[in-house]
Amino acid sequence: MNYRGRLWFAAVLLCAAVLQAQDTEKWEIGPFARPASGNPAISPRPESIFVDPILKKPVHWEVLHTFNPAAIVRDGKVYVLYRAEDDSGAMEIGGHTSRLGLAESTDGISFKRRADPVFYPADDAQQSREWPGGVEDPRIVEAEDGSYVLTYTQWNRKTYSVGIARSSDLTHWAKGGPAFAFAAGGKYAELKYKSAGIVTRIENGRLIAAKINGRYWMYWGEGAIHLATSSDLIHWSPLEDTNGVPIEVLRPRPGRFDSTFPETGPPPVLTSAGIVVLYNGKNAVKDGDPHLGPNAYAAGEALFDRSDPARLLRQTEHPVLKPELAYEKAGQYAAGTTFAEGLVYFHDRWFLYYGCADSVVAVAMAAGR
């Protein structure tokens, strides 16, 4: 081969390497873009009144804030379960009672809402864990039998845990109690933990709870992200290291958007590239991302091995969604949040639902593939 031929061959190899490198980036879901109109998708509604089963009197259950949503596709529509706060308690974050409302949409952007909440603290076995703080920050998956499994935060203003509930219709729910209640002989009964997303797979345009190595998997936690497994989607056991401590599979990164307090976002998705975990990170006051304000929450993505969910392969260097618009930076949480919790695959596109400044719900979209 002459000199010119060798140059041509080297150029071909370089182009192939570049294309291969570009192809490896396709593991990410996104990029996400906000629709031209329709946001915020869900905002507080002062006129909504609900007779609380504990107080035995009417309350304005979604008067102050509506945020941090879960999402699922059912019967050709997108359903969003959103956290709503009333005007009781102290005027501070976590000082009100939270309940979950239900909204439905035929296009994923414009929503029709139920008049009453569908999930709330009640005179039941979970009252001591959920009153007066309420039920917060849901994530939802569809089980293989067509039922729905909800992970949410139980908050009584003293302690918190991940609660599990199940439903066949999204409106009537059976609470199963804390996810780790029976793990390791009750070892985790007093643990404070939240933010749990069960791994899913795409099937017929819906995200269904996925089994890996014969078990269901759940990424959970804040400050660091951990793992748990289950055989029934209700009872979960944390994965532990040799010292009996829950393993950490994703930690803060200095200088990045997740420089402090990373926590699980919507239910992760099992893809051909691996397990894609969308997660939320809090920017540190010092040594954080200089392009984000201190304490701002932004969303990123991580890729884990599809056969070894504890093995982290890749992370986005920059957030895939960050507070930029007025409604994402002005509200109850003034530092700004784009707190991702709901993800669906709908009409061959991804719809990501997120809480804005702990005050309203918005949506961003990405092309499917």
Side-chain angles (χ1 to χ4, degrees):
M1 184 181 296
N2 60 26
Y3 179 71
R4 182 172 297 177
R6 286 196 298 270
L7 284 178
W8 176 84
F9 186 65
V12 170
L13 289 178
L14 178 61
C15 289
V18 170
L19 289 173
Q20 183 178 16
Q22 290 175 342
D23 189 61
T24 62
E25 299 300 322
K26 292 182 180 179
W27 65 268
E28 297 177 30
I29 296 174
F32 289 99
R34 301 162 181 84
S37 61
N39 275 330
I42 299 174
S43 299
R45 194 166 57 175
E47 65 269 23
S48 297
I49 296 177
F50 165 70
V51 178
D52 184 85
I54 296 176
L55 296 175
K56 305 292 193 300
K57 66 178 185 181
V59 295
H60 293 272
W61 66 277
E62 55 179 351
V63 63
L64 287 185
H65 313 106
T66 52
F67 58 115
N68 292 7
I72 201 79
V73 172
R74 173 181 167 85
D75 296 333
K77 297 180 181 180
V78 175
Y79 286 81
V80 166
L81 281 153
Y82 60 95
R83 174 181 171 184
E85 290 186 329
D86 65 16
D87 54 358
S88 67
M91 290 301 293
E92 59 186 27
I93 292 177
H96 316 293
T97 299
S98 292
R99 301 169 182 85
L100 302 186
L102 182 64
E104 63 183 79
S105 173
T106 57
D107 63 5
I109 300 173
S110 302
F111 285 88
K112 179 181 179 181
R113 292 149 71 169
R114 302 289 178 98
D116 292 343
V118 296
F119 195 76
Y120 42 83
D123 183 13
D124 57 28
Q126 300 304 312
Q127 180 179 340
S128 64
R129 290 182 170 272
E130 299 174 357
W131 187 261
V135 294
E136 304 178 347
D137 300 355
R139 282 87 167 165
I140 189 171
V141 300
E142 182 178 345
E144 292 168 307
D145 65 0
S147 65
Y148 303 97
V149 177
L150 187 74
T151 60
Y152 67 100
T153 301
Q154 300 178 300
W155 169 235
N156 62 10
R157 298 191 190 156
K158 294 180 181 178
T159 189
Y160 53 87
S161 58
V162 171
I164 303 289
R166 200 153 193 167
S167 174
S168 61
D169 60 6
L170 300 178
T171 58
H172 301 88
W173 293 89
K175 297 177 182 178
F180 303 156
F182 302 104
K187 172 181 176 179
Y188 295 98
E190 304 302 321
L191 180 69
K192 294 182 179 180
Y193 59 105
K194 60 181 358 181
S195 302
I198 298 168
V199 176
T200 64
R201 56 183 168 80
I202 299 178
E203 181 178 304
N204 298 323
R206 305 197 313 279
L207 294 174
I208 311 295
K211 279 188 174 180
I212 301 172
N213 301 327
R215 297 187 67 81
Y216 299 106
W217 295 75
M218 181 171 75
Y219 291 85
W220 62 275
E222 55 180 358
I225 294 178
H226 311 267
L227 267 174
T229 65
S230 172
S231 61
D232 62 4
L233 292 171
I234 303 299
H235 305 94
W236 294 85
S237 296
L239 264 65
E240 299 177 339
D241 61 19
T242 55
N243 296 315
V245 177
I247 64 170
E248 297 179 346
V249 298
L250 190 147
R251 294 183 52 78
R253 296 180 296 175
R256 303 293 183 188
F257 68 95
D258 52 5
S259 45
T260 184
F261 230 66
E263 58 185 293
T264 307
V269 182
L270 180 64
T271 71
S272 59
I275 304 166
V276 179
V277 177
L278 275 86
Y279 68 98
N280 301 295
K282 184 179 181 180
N283 198 36
V285 175
K286 294 182 179 180
D287 300 323
D289 184 339
H291 302 291
L292 284 176
N295 295 320
Y297 278 90
E301 299 186 41
L303 182 70
F304 288 84
D305 192 299
R306 58 177 290 117
S307 59
D308 181 5
R311 182 173 173 239
L312 177 63
L313 301 177
R314 302 287 296 276
Q315 279 178 270
T316 54
E317 294 298 314
H318 306 285
V320 298
L321 190 67
K322 62 183 179 180
E324 295 178 304
L325 303 181
Y327 58 82
E328 297 167 345
K329 297 189 288 185
Q332 182 178 201
Y333 191 85
T337 71
T338 48
F339 199 86
E341 282 194 21
L343 179 70
V344 298
Y345 194 70
F346 185 62
H347 291 169
D348 298 320
R349 288 186 293 175
W350 293 101
F351 287 71
L352 180 64
Y353 297 91
Y354 61 99
C356 307
D358 283 6
S359 297
V360 296
V361 171
V363 60
M365 295 175 292
R369 61 176 186 271

